[in-house]
């Protein structure tokens, strides 16, 4: 009797062990929520349209920005909707300055069929950014939104799909990266010129350029030869305008994908945006747009798969001109001394009327023409109300 009971107990224990070993936790599948189209601006910057707090008849323009640690509204939107504002001691940093910011709490954002609640917007002034791209910029969508969802960006179809957090199947032919995450993703990349250097760089879809390096990183790593040709230029960011230089890297490697002869900006990181030496700079959307991207912040993962833009030519054109769209006019505001724009005779305040045979009031049209032009191009400007024809010799920074 005892032997039979013992045998039965061993069988029961064995059965429990075997069936227990077959148990497996199955994560919940990510569920599709909605999709929405987006518009691309110069440098690949993404503009999505959304409504604030149920104002469904009034659509706002937001930059989708993985380089933003929160979510923000332009000050004009706050004034328009009479939003309550709370002053804070919080400070945000940009490449051109630091700023103490105020917040407006408890708002919602509608993106197609998705309503995102309980958002705290910080308030900023995007008038300069709007004049750079020729559209009204009402805000920036960053980490506060992205951390809640899986976001698929299809640059071929210019469509965004949004999913709940959960298990997803990534497409073949790409790479799954698990970058460092705080509020910003910072993958390891390899850059090469005189030397080959591996470091962490901010993954920044809000930057309309290929690559940006901090001067400190460049000098400490001896990335470039001492006499590497650098061209002075200007860009715009938080805090205003920033003087920097542009050159060409021999290559940038992202996982198994290698890009050669990549335009790169070099700037003095006076406000420690890159937290050097933790990071060396950022990778911008003029390079990222060459992939279809899946942002899986909940799983701290990013998937990249080459798309039809993977082999697009890079922009090597250099004019030394900063142009802005102001009151429906495209104006020359800043001219780098000694640059092709300066040699051609441009003056601050010139209104661009025509580039080549193209007449337009859309700054995107002129920027695209200037980026693709080679050699000399005729530009007609209005100066003190009179037309002036200028011969602009666009410099190729590869040479």
């Amino acid at each position: 009797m005892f032997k039979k009971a013992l045998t039965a107990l061993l069988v029961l224990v064995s059965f429990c062990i075997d069936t227990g070993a077959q148990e497996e936790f199955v994560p919940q599948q990510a569920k599709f929520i909605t999709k929405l189209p987006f518009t691309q601006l110069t440098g690949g910057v993404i503009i999505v349209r959304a409504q604030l707090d149920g104002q469904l008849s009034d659509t706002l323009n937001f930059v989708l920005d993985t380089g933003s640690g929160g979510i923000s509204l332009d000050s004009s939107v706050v004034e328009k909707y009479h939003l309550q504002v709370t002053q804070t001691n919080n400070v945000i940093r940009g490449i051109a300055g630091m700023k103490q910011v105020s917040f407006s709490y408890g708002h919602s954002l509608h993106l197609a069929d998705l309503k995102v609640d309980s958002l705290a917007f910080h308030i900023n002034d995007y008038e300069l950014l709007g004049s750079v791209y020729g559209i009204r910029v009402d805000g920036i969508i960053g980490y506060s939104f992205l951390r809640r969802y899986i976001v698929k960006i299809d640059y071929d179809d210019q469509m965004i799909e949004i999913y709940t957090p959960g298990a997803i199947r990534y497409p073949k032919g790409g790479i799954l990266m698990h970058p460092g995450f705080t509020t910003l993703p910072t993958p390891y990349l390899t850059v090469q010129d005189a030397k080959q250097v591996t470091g962490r760089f901010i993954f920044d879809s809000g930057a309309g350029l290929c690559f940006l390096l901090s001067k400190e990183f460049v000098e400490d790593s001896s990335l470039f030869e001492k006499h590497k040709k650098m061209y002075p230029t200007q860009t715009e960011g938080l805090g205003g305008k920033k003087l920097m230089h542009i050159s060409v890297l021999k290559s940038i490697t992202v996982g198994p994908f290698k890009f050669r002869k990549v335009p790169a900006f070099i700037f003095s990181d006076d406000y420690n945006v890159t937290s050097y030496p933790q990071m060396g700079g950022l990778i911008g959307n003029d390079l990222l747009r060459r992939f279809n991207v899946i942002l899986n912040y909940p799983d701290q993962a990013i998937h990249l798969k080459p798309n039809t833009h993977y082999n697009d030519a890079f922009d090597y054109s250099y004019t030394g001109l900063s142009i802005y769209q102001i009151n429906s006019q495209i104006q020359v505001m800043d001219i780098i001394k000694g640059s092709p724009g300066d040699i051609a005779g441009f003056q601050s305040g010139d209104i661009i009327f025509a580039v080549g045979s193209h007449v337009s009031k859309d700054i995107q049209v002129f920027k695209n023409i200037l980026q693709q032009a080679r050699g000399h191009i005729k530009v007609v400007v209005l100066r003190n109300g009179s037309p002036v024809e200028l011969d602009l010799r666009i410099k190729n920074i590869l040479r």
Side-chain angles (χ1 to χ4, degrees), residues 9 14 65 80 98 107 114 123 162 190 210 225 243 253 256 285 321 324 337 340 362 375 395:
L9 179 61
S14 175
D65 188 1
K80 178 179 180 179
M98 298 177 64
H107 298 286
L114 173 63
I123 315 304
I162 303 174
T190 299
C210 284
E225 295 177 353
L243 292 173
T253 304
N285 221 37
L321 298 174
Y324 304 88
K337 187 176 181 180
D362 185 345
K395 175 69 178 176

Side-chain angles (χ1 to χ4, degrees), residues 43-196:
V45 171
I46 294 173
I47 296 291
V48 296
R49 293 174 175 82
Q51 294 83 33
L52 179 70
D53 293 342
Q55 303 286 339
L56 300 182
S57 61
D58 195 358
T59 302
L60 304 177
N61 295 324
F62 288 86
V63 176
L64 185 67
D65 188 1
T66 57
S68 168
I71 192 167
S72 62
L73 285 173
D74 181 62
S75 54
S76 66
V77 176
V78 175
E79 293 175 5
K80 178 179 180 179
Y81 292 117
H82 307 288
L83 303 183
Q84 184 176 350
V85 175
T86 302
Q87 301 295 326
T88 73
N89 293 322
N90 293 41
V91 174
I92 56 174
R93 293 180 294 178
I95 62 171
M98 298 177 64
K99 182 180 179 182
Q100 187 171 334
V101 294
S102 54
F103 280 78
S104 190
Y105 297 99
H107 298 286
S108 64
L109 203 62
H110 293 250
L111 297 100
D113 299 325
L114 173 63
K115 180 182 178 182
V116 188
D117 288 314
S118 305
L119 291 171
F121 289 92
H122 72 259
I123 315 304
N124 212 334
D125 183 352
Y126 295 122
E127 183 179 4
L128 177 62
L129 189 61
S131 66
V132 169
Y133 292 116
I135 66 165
R136 189 186 73 248
V137 175
D138 297 305
I140 289 177
I141 295 175
Y143 178 77
S144 298
F145 166 78
L146 294 169
R147 68 183 177 85
R148 304 186 187 192
Y149 305 100
I150 297 172
V151 178
K152 296 183 178 181
I153 307 173
D154 187 329
Y155 288 94
D156 290 325
D157 295 332
Q158 294 196 355
M159 190 68 65
I160 290 173
E161 294 183 354
I162 303 174
Y163 293 78
T164 62
I168 63 169
R169 179 175 293 178
Y170 294 99
K172 295 180 179 179
I175 179 176
L176 183 62
M177 308 173 70
H178 289 278
F181 262 88
T182 50
T183 55
L184 308 180
T186 55
Y188 279 96
L189 308 173
T190 299
V191 295
Q192 182 174 1
D193 204 78
K195 288 189 176 181
Q196 179 174 296

Side-chain angles (χ1 to χ4, degrees), residues 43 68 92 111-112 124 155 173 181 188 255 265 269 271 279 295 305 317 335-336 346 348 388 392:
S68 168
I92 56 174
L111 297 100
N124 212 334
Y155 288 94
F181 262 88
Y188 279 96
F265 289 86
D269 193 1
Y271 302 97
M279 288 165 284
L295 303 171
K305 181 179 179 180
S317 300
I335 305 137
I336 300 295
F346 283 88
S348 179
V388 177
L392 176 63

